Amino acid sequence: MVQIVGFCSLNETVNALENNLNVLSNLQGSGFDSSGVASIVDKKIFSRRIVGGVSELQATIPPNINNSQICISHLRWATHGAPNEMNAHPQFSNNGKIAVVHNGVVENYREIKKQLELKGYTFSSDTDTEVLVNLVQDNILRNLSFSDAVLEAFKIINGSNGALFICSDNPQNMIAISMGSPIVVGINESMILVTSDRSIIQNHATKLFSLDDKNYLVITVNNQNDQNNCYKIFDFNNNQIFKEIESFNQTLLPLNNENEKKDNNNKNFLFKEIMEQPEVLKRLLNDKIKDDKVCFDELEKIWNGKRVIEHLVDCSRIVIVGCGSSYNSALSGKYIIEEFARIPVQVEYGGEFCSGETVLGPTKQGKSPVVILVSQSGESGDIIASLRYAKSKGVLCFGICNNSESSLARESDCIILLNSGKENAITSSKTFTSQITILNMLAIKLSQEKKTISDEKVLELVNSLKTLPEITKNVLNDTNVFQLIAKAFRYTRNFLYLGRGVHFPIALEGALKLNQVAYIHCEGYPAAEMKHGPIALIDKFMPVLFLAPKDSTYEKVLSNIREVRARKGSVICITDGDNHELDKYSDYVIHLPKAHSLVYPVLTAVSIQMMAYFIAVERGESIDFPRHQTKVFGSGRA
């Protein structure tokens, strides 16, 4: 995944190049390996590309460069070709007149490249993007207009792609185009800002809209134009589209927007966002719990003649799709929904589900599945591909995400928003626990509708949720044990995280967190599976973390702990505050407040976040922007 930004100034006193780089600097360090910019200056393309971030890029810009009104820029996370200057964006046509910044994967670029090479085109990079921009040049040489040349190129390429184009022969135009990849447009009285990330828009624009799939935007700047008359939107049949532009909703501003500085108590965003979780959960619960019942107004929406909640109650099964941490929260939701609502749940990785092999047809009884797609950003390529596959099969699709302007929010039949505030750190924290909590509440809502549990049980579960903000705060307020564990295991090269039942997904998430921020090889397993292979790895150099609450799984987990101890493995346990039986088997014990089994996974999730964080701190790693990672990934087929 990359970030693309286009800036068009609506009067000559606003420098597009300078302002574009200022906007791009908000994303500096977000896991990207190279950056670049191109602008129309004196009817020629001025450009710079480097390996590095925006501050290094800004240092390459001459101080006396003339004003510009159109500029495009790019932050790259390498897919095609190594992270070097030649592969950085913008990429250019052979004649040097066209520049593009591109987000996505041109899946058939090799075939197109061969055809262009036969026509005499040469390529200096390993990117699919250079193929795309030269395809546009080839179309212009066939006497197509600039906009038609871009459109025809997108009709030829395959894959999910979004791009911004400028051309020195059309110095007053920028073209933005979307085909399965997000393009968001922000407007104020002095500029039009085009980007792949809505969070950029909200700090600069007063109005915004998103391009629909297979739409493109032509912006024309001159000193006579105003914000209402300087752009046109078209579909891929060249029909003009008239979109209603909405004023930006300031209530959607996040808890910690991108311009907010970290204070002395929060040295990085990850720690800040971990510590925000009690307040985020409180807000979420206040929104969904009314009169001791779980209420989802979103599920009252009518789809195919019935309310969404009725489809859920009557479905043959629920298929939940996620990637990364969202997959782990989905797996946690499976256990809770099946336990209380008694609906079969299937959990799929987005990258596997979108291949189109999952059977989604109706049963012999005529019942169809419902597909739930879980995503922090709502823009992950595999999730959007999964959504479109499921919709092509005619099944109800609803999303759970944190971005109201995302592709997932716009294209789903129903959307539930987390409203967790923006996560600046690449590693998810508060969105993960919010996803678990939403899925827990969905399980209760389905149970209420199906009458699979008593009213007394519903009240018990709802009351347990109400305790969540306070007991989460109690866990976060005591960091001593996490810091002790971090000092003890900072040089460890391998780890195992084990849990049973609903705690297994949290073991997976804990392993992922340790991979992401501390760069320690760690694997999560169902504790029962330890003896089927991983036990061979146990020795004094292999620490094992057990999720061991005093619930129905406890005795079996205790047996697993003894097995590790017998093989001289180091043991860390997370268990109830009043349980001291594990002290004699463990090197370290993390005691959590007494909590209902429904909310216990949130407490263990917070604990494994803190543990990964402090180990990363002890190792001196980059906390907010771990290597080789970015917040949103494009299609896994890259």
Side-chain angles (χ1 to χ4, degrees):
M1 183 68 179
V2 303
Q3 294 286 4
I4 58 177
V5 176
F7 192 103
C8 297
S9 63
L10 299 183
N11 68 71
E12 60 184 2
T13 63
V14 177
N15 190 315
L17 175 59
E18 178 183 336
N19 280 278
N20 190 306
L21 290 174
N22 287 338
V23 172
L24 199 69
S25 66
N26 285 333
L27 298 165
Q28 184 166 252
S30 300
F32 301 102
D33 49 58
S34 56
S35 56
V37 65
S39 183
I40 302 289
V41 179
D42 298 328
K43 297 185 179 181
K44 295 180 181 179
I45 292 181
F46 166 85
S47 67
R48 289 288 187 272
R49 299 183 299 187
I50 65 160
V51 176
V54 182
S55 58
E56 293 93 340
L57 180 64
Q58 288 173 315
T60 70
I61 307 298
N64 59 346
I65 189 168
N66 289 340
N67 204 348
S68 64
Q69 283 191 261
I70 291 180
C71 183
I72 58 176
S73 63
H74 189 273
L75 287 171
R76 181 172 186 253
W77 189 84
T79 55
H80 290 73
N84 57 40
E85 185 177 331
M86 295 306 295
N87 289 330
H89 294 210
Q91 288 289 316
F92 306 96
S93 59
N94 275 193
N95 62 13
K97 293 184 175 183
I98 310 167
V100 64
V101 291
H102 169 221
N103 178 19
V105 177
V106 179
E107 295 177 348
N108 57 334
Y109 85 100
R110 292 182 181 87
E111 296 91 331
I112 299 170
K113 184 176 183 179
K114 288 178 182 178
Q115 294 169 9
L116 292 173
E117 285 174 332
L118 291 174
K119 295 181 178 183
Y121 287 85
T122 60
F123 298 89
S124 59
S125 77
D126 301 317
T127 67
D128 54 343
T129 306
E130 190 181 13
V131 175
L132 174 60
V133 71
N134 279 293
L135 181 58
V136 173
Q137 176 188 317
D138 195 59
N139 289 338
I140 289 176
L141 293 178
R142 294 192 294 111
N143 294 320
L144 293 181
S145 67
F146 180 31
S147 59
D148 284 344
V150 171
L151 174 60
E152 290 304 312
F154 265 68
K155 288 181 178 180
I156 292 171
I157 65 175
N158 296 332
S160 295
N161 293 279
L164 307 178
F165 292 85
I166 59 174
C167 178
S168 59
D169 285 344
N170 300 78
Q172 293 180 323
N173 295 126
M174 176 191 295
I175 296 175
I177 187 164
S178 173
M179 186 173 71
S181 185
I183 295 289
V184 186
V185 182
I187 303 171
N188 66 26
E189 66 280 356
S190 61
M191 65 89 193
I192 298 178
L193 183 62
V194 187
T195 178
S196 52
D197 188 340
R198 175 186 176 274
S199 66
I200 304 173
I201 298 287
Q202 64 190 27
N203 294 319
H204 301 276
T206 56
K207 300 176 181 178
L208 65 83
F209 64 89
S210 297
L211 280 187
D212 293 332
D213 189 32
K214 294 189 176 180
N215 278 191
Y216 71 97
L217 172 78
V218 180
I219 301 172
T220 303
V221 298
N222 61 53
N223 295 332
Q224 283 72 47
N225 286 134
D226 63 32
Q227 59 180 280
N228 298 314
N229 298 307
C230 58
Y231 66 88
K232 292 181 179 180
I233 306 168
F234 301 90
D235 63 20
F236 273 27
N237 293 318
N238 257 337
N239 299 311
Q240 188 171 354
I241 305 297
F242 297 92
K243 282 187 76 77
E244 182 178 348
I245 302 176
E246 298 181 7
S247 296
F248 183 70
N249 186 352
Q250 294 295 325
T251 63
L252 295 178
L253 281 171
L255 291 176
N256 52 350
N257 71 62
E258 288 181 309
N259 290 334
E260 185 181 62
K261 302 298 183 183
K262 292 162 275 193
D263 58 40
N264 291 330
N265 294 321
N266 297 298
K267 303 300 183 184
N268 49 69
F269 279 120
L270 179 58
F271 186 73
K272 179 180 179 61
E273 288 157 7
I274 290 173
M275 299 302 288
E276 282 181 345
Q277 287 176 105
E279 184 60 33
V280 169
L281 293 170
K282 181 180 180 180
R283 186 173 59 194
L284 184 61
L285 294 167
N286 286 343
D287 183 52
K288 298 301 181 190
I289 296 178
K290 309 293 182 187
D291 299 324
D292 293 327
K293 296 281 188 179
V294 174
C295 301
F296 282 97
D297 293 339
E298 302 91 334
L299 302 184
E300 298 302 311
K301 181 179 179 180
I302 302 298
W303 184 84
N304 204 18
K306 293 195 302 185
R307 294 180 302 147
V308 170
I309 187 64
E310 293 178 84
H311 286 284
L312 281 164
V313 168
D314 295 337
C315 70
S316 59
R317 72 188 193 281
I318 294 173
V319 181
I320 313 181
V321 184
C323 300
S325 292
S326 296
Y327 174 87
N328 298 333
S329 66
L331 193 58
S332 173
K334 166 187 168 67
Y335 284 93
I336 303 301
I337 292 171
E338 289 187 337
E339 178 181 356
F340 295 118
R342 311 308 298 169
I343 298 173
V345 178
Q346 173 184 345
V347 180
E348 295 277 352
Y349 284 105
E352 298 298 319
F353 182 83
C354 68
S355 66
E357 300 299 324
T358 302
V359 177
L360 293 176
T363 63
K364 291 180 179 179
Q365 293 75 32
K367 293 187 175 183
S368 295
V370 171
V371 175
I372 300 176
L373 301 110
V374 186
S375 171
Q376 178 272 138
S377 67
E379 297 292 0
S380 295
D382 289 332
I383 291 297
I384 302 307
S386 296
L387 168 65
R388 291 169 182 164
Y389 165 67
K391 285 177 74 73
S392 74
K393 299 300 180 182
V395 301
L396 170 63
C397 299
F398 82 80
I400 298 173
C401 78
N402 197 39
N403 183 351
S404 63
E405 293 296 320
S406 65
S407 298
L408 180 60
R410 288 185 287 111
E411 296 184 32
S412 294
D413 300 311
C414 172
I415 189 71
I416 296 175
L417 295 173
L418 301 175
N419 289 324
S420 301
K422 179 173 173 59
E423 279 188 329
N424 288 282
I426 287 177
T427 304
S428 64
S429 54
K430 58 184 179 178
T431 54
F432 178 74
T433 50
S434 293
Q435 287 170 352
I436 291 178
T437 305
I438 280 286
L439 289 167
N440 284 351
M441 289 193 286
L442 179 61
I444 297 172
K445 176 64 176 176
L446 292 171
S447 303
Q448 290 171 188
E449 295 289 326
K450 292 190 69 178
K451 304 296 184 184
T452 50
I453 58 177
S454 66
D455 291 343
E456 291 76 17
K457 185 65 174 180
V458 169
L459 183 60
E460 174 192 325
L461 297 176
V462 168
N463 285 336
S464 73
L465 288 171
K466 291 179 180 178
T467 68
L468 195 49
E470 188 62 31
I471 56 178
T472 302
K473 185 186 295 184
N474 292 341
V475 174
L476 293 172
N477 284 342
D478 185 5
T479 64
N480 290 334
V481 66
F482 303 114
Q483 294 183 64
L484 287 172
I485 292 170
K487 290 181 185 298
F489 294 100
R490 64 187 182 275
Y491 298 122
T492 296
R493 300 186 65 180
N494 300 285
F495 240 108
L496 283 178
Y497 278 31
L498 304 178
R500 285 178 179 259
V502 73
H503 308 294
F504 163 54
I506 309 303
L508 287 177
E509 178 66 7
L512 179 61
K513 287 289 170 282
L514 208 57
N515 294 161
Q516 284 182 307
V517 298
Y519 309 149
I520 293 174
H521 171 246
C522 182
E523 296 189 44
Y525 273 92
E529 289 295 304
M530 182 185 69
K531 58 183 174 291
H532 296 291
I535 197 168
L537 301 173
I538 304 298
D539 59 20
K540 63 181 179 180
F541 301 110
M542 175 63 82
V544 183
L545 181 140
F546 285 94
L547 302 176
K550 288 291 290 281
D551 60 13
S552 60
T553 68
Y554 179 73
E555 290 301 326
K556 291 181 178 179
V557 173
L558 180 57
S559 176
N560 296 137
I561 293 170
R562 290 175 178 142
E563 290 170 346
V564 170
R565 214 44 168 165
R567 289 157 179 82
K568 304 188 185 309
S570 299
V571 173
I572 303 168
C573 287
I574 299 179
T575 191
D576 301 9
D578 58 357
N579 178 22
H580 294 283
E581 181 182 11
L582 298 181
D583 294 0
K584 60 184 175 183
Y585 299 111
S586 308
D587 296 277
Y588 295 91
V589 180
I590 299 169
H591 290 286
L592 300 182
K594 189 71 175 176
H596 193 282
S597 60
L598 178 70
V599 300
Y600 204 93
V602 174
L603 304 186
T604 53
V606 168
S607 299
I608 55 94
Q609 290 170 4
M610 292 288 272
M611 187 169 148
Y613 169 78
F614 281 111
I615 291 176
V617 169
E618 287 293 329
R619 291 167 64 93
E621 307 296 359
S622 174
I623 303 298
D624 287 335
F625 309 118
R627 65 191 182 205
H628 309 323
Q629 297 172 69
T630 184
K631 193 67 176 173
V632 183
F633 286 93
S635 171
R637 298 182 295 275

